[in-house]
Amino acid sequence: MTQAPAASKAARRRHDREIVALAVPAFGALVAEPLFVMADSAIVGHLGTAQLAGLAVASSLLMTAVSVFVFLAYATTAAVARRVGAGDLQSAIRQGMDGIWLALLLGAAVIAIVLPTAPALVELFGASHTAAPYAITYLRISSLGIPAMLVVLAATGVLRGLQDTKTPLCVAVGGFVANGALNAGLVYGAGLGIAGSAWGTVMAQVAMAAVYLFVVVRGARRHGASLRPDAAGIRACARAGAPLLVRTLSLRAILMIATAVAARLGDADIAAHQIIISLWSLLAFALDAIAIAGQAIIGRYLGADDAQGARDACLRMVQWGIAAGVVLGLLVIVSRPLFIPLFTNDQVVQNAAMPALLMVALSQPICGIVFVLDGVLMGAGDGPYLARAMLVTLAVFTPVALLVPVFGGGLTALWGAMTLMMTVRMLTLWLRSRSGRWLITGATR
């Protein structure tokens, strides 16, 4: 009678060790990119307001361009993890190389678009006439680093699929330190101004990509995997990533609609919204770390033909997501009076942010479930369903959000709509996880 509970406890401890071993380093790597932007902002900010405004516009454009291609990491993680579970490391790394070649091709295409259209893009984003020249300079130089940034995404997916999140953490930390040192030296030491910041970031990104390529190429040679581009493999990576691209674009549309609605509510509300969205993004990094662990673990179990192991791991990660959401929600409630004054002394903005942050806090357990199940289904290669589910979520959220200025309720009502959005995502993902249709085993889906 006691053997089954003991076995169950042993399984939970095994899952817990796997989740912690993958999620903790993944969280460190996730926060590296915002730290890059913060370091650039701190260094450029001392050059002047116009330079900082130009950086804000250009970095927003760059981050949007790169975030669109985050499927390079997600799809590669799932595909590589399946082959690892099947015991075919040669095929796993070959799959990863296809993702890296796709990243290089996409990066070259983005450069070809951004370089000639940089002035028009900066104007579209509403940069002032004083900030626009700096934004164009930064955007054009930094776009040269986009292929490296996309290679980092794909190679990160390879290593996550190989159940390695420590190497991405080390590379991210090294890249952050190099970025800060290079930017300071080129901006002030060499007197290059905002162009020095852009070149420093490009050099740091290229160095990070080079380290990743060294690690992946070494693994490829060790296991006899080909490094040459394979047209069929690259097309397969693109097909696997297309649904995740739809999912990502839908999510970006939701965030853009929320910002547009907040802007219509007034200056105080949009200012408070900016504070809240920054905190919401930070909380998302913590929950996304568990999702990344889910991608790697689920893919490996399914590749090993262990559907029950995948189901058990999914359940345990959902429990982790709920617990993390509860803890984060409580932290937000407790820290609200301390957190908001760090960003503004305007009492009107503080009054708008305080009740909206309470809505954010209450939604964190829901967010925990959403992020985990999102990662589980990505790990299972269930991209087409994720795309459809996000389109449904967008269709529900859009009219509700657009009606907020009409019926009132201010920023709190808008974040109520955001909570509704996460609830719809939770329901669609929960229904899919309960159905078991994602439990397709084998080295390929």
Side-chain angles (χ1 to χ4, degrees):
M1 294 292 290
T2 60
Q3 193 170 12
S8 178
K9 288 182 179 179
R12 285 199 299 271
R13 285 196 296 269
R14 185 178 70 253
H15 290 314
D16 290 345
R17 286 194 297 270
E18 288 182 330
I19 294 167
V20 170
L22 291 171
V24 172
F27 175 72
L30 283 169
V31 299
E33 193 59 46
L35 290 176
F36 266 53
V37 177
M38 289 176 62
D40 288 358
S41 300
I43 292 169
V44 172
H46 291 286
L47 295 175
T49 300
Q51 288 90 332
L52 184 58
L55 172 67
V57 171
S59 62
S60 177
L61 283 163
L62 286 166
M63 288 303 100
T64 299
V66 173
S67 66
V68 164
F69 298 113
V70 73
F71 70 83
L72 289 167
Y74 294 158
T76 304
T77 297
V80 171
R82 274 184 176 269
R83 287 160 175 80
V84 168
D88 189 355
L89 289 178
Q90 182 186 67
S91 178
I93 297 176
R94 174 64 260 180
Q95 179 76 27
M97 286 303 306
D98 291 335
I100 290 172
W101 280 112
L102 177 61
L104 287 169
L105 291 173
L106 291 172
V110 173
I111 290 178
I113 294 171
V114 170
L115 284 179
T117 61
L121 291 171
V122 168
E123 183 180 358
L124 182 65
F125 265 60
S128 68
H129 69 279
T130 54
Y134 298 110
I136 293 168
T137 296
Y138 191 92
L139 181 59
R140 279 181 165 158
I141 296 172
S142 293
S143 68
L144 301 177
I146 286 179
M149 296 170 74
L150 299 188
V151 166
V152 167
L153 284 177
T156 300
V158 176
L159 295 180
R160 288 173 182 169
L162 294 171
Q163 317 296 297
D164 176 10
T165 56
K166 292 180 180 178
T167 299
L169 173 60
C170 293
V171 175
V173 171
F176 172 70
V177 173
N179 180 67
L182 287 166
N183 281 10
L186 293 173
V187 170
Y188 300 117
L192 296 179
I194 195 169
S197 177
W199 281 118
T201 300
V202 169
M203 292 165 67
Q205 289 161 348
V206 170
M208 291 171 67
V211 173
Y212 274 118
L213 288 175
F214 172 79
V215 173
V216 174
V217 168
R218 184 180 60 184
R221 288 175 175 168
R222 182 186 303 129
H223 297 287
S226 173
L227 299 174
R228 295 179 180 178
D230 176 62
I234 293 172
R235 285 195 299 270
C237 286
R239 284 195 299 271
L244 295 180
L245 176 61
V246 173
R247 168 200 168 275
T248 301
L249 290 174
S250 300
L251 180 57
R252 295 294 302 182
I254 286 171
L255 297 177
M256 289 175 65
I257 290 169
T259 300
V261 170
R264 292 176 62 188
L265 296 175
D267 289 347
D269 286 297
I270 186 61
H273 178 74
Q274 181 60 32
I275 295 170
I276 295 169
I277 202 71
S278 65
L279 176 62
W280 192 76
S281 298
L282 180 61
L283 298 173
F285 283 133
L287 297 173
D288 204 27
I290 305 174
I292 287 170
Q295 293 172 32
I297 292 170
I298 295 299
R300 192 190 72 229
Y301 273 116
L302 294 178
D305 293 323
D306 187 355
Q308 187 58 48
R311 191 185 292 275
D312 293 342
C314 172
L315 176 60
R316 189 56 177 165
M317 281 182 283
V318 168
Q319 293 170 348
W320 268 77
I322 294 172
V326 170
V327 171
L328 292 174
L330 291 173
L331 286 175
V332 171
I333 292 173
V334 171
S335 65
R336 278 186 310 157
L338 303 175
F339 174 78
I340 298 175
L342 293 176
F343 290 85
T344 179
N345 293 321
D346 189 325
Q347 193 61 48
V348 178
V349 175
Q350 291 185 15
N351 291 341
M354 194 69 74
L357 267 179
L358 181 60
M359 189 68 69
V360 171
L362 295 175
S363 70
Q364 286 309 295
I366 296 173
C367 294
I369 297 172
V370 167
F371 276 84
V372 168
L373 291 180
D374 208 37
V376 165
L377 296 183
M378 282 185 190
D382 205 12
Y385 181 83
L386 289 173
R388 294 193 298 271
M390 190 58 80
L391 287 172
V392 169
T393 303
L394 175 61
V396 172
F397 171 78
T398 300
V400 175
L402 293 178
L403 286 173
V404 167
V406 177
F407 290 102
L411 196 63
T412 303
L414 176 59
W415 277 93
M418 290 287 284
T419 301
L420 172 65
M421 178 270 292
M422 294 302 292
T423 302
V424 173
R425 288 187 69 188
M426 181 185 69
L427 291 174
T428 57
L429 297 174
W430 177 77
L431 288 172
R432 185 65 167 183
S433 68
R434 284 292 301 267
S435 73
R437 294 176 184 174
W438 56 278
L439 289 166
I440 299 175
T441 59
T444 58
R445 182 178 169 85

